[in-house]
Amino acid sequence: MSDYTIQSEPRAGHWVAWAVAPGEAKPVGSVILPGQTRQEAEANAHHWLERISADPRLLLS
């Protein structure tokens, strides 16, 4: 989980955040997480990383 980075940006009156694996450009699992604030969106992305670290099957399609 520590290898991932969290990126965020404002969109349409709210914030979105996503996790990116080293050497990748796309969000992990193609998941973008919204929040009212930047902190909330980034916290949601951290929770997502915790979930996929605990259960990698969440990334399987």
Side-chain angles (χ1 to χ4, degrees), residues 6-33:
I6 301 293
Q7 298 180 359
S8 60
E9 65 183 37
R11 285 195 192 166
H14 62 278
W15 281 81
V16 294
W18 58 94
V20 179
E24 296 290 328
K26 292 176 28 175
V28 175
S30 298
V31 174
I32 304 275
L33 299 137

Side-chain angles (χ1 to χ4, degrees), residues 19-58:
V20 179
E24 296 290 328
K26 292 176 28 175
V28 175
S30 298
V31 174
I32 304 275
L33 299 137
Q36 293 283 337
T37 64
R38 181 180 188 172
Q39 293 80 12
E40 182 181 10
E42 290 180 0
N44 291 339
H46 282 286
H47 292 307
W48 169 241
L49 283 177
E50 290 171 0
R51 288 185 64 201
I52 62 174
S53 292
D55 188 359
R57 293 175 298 167
L58 292 170

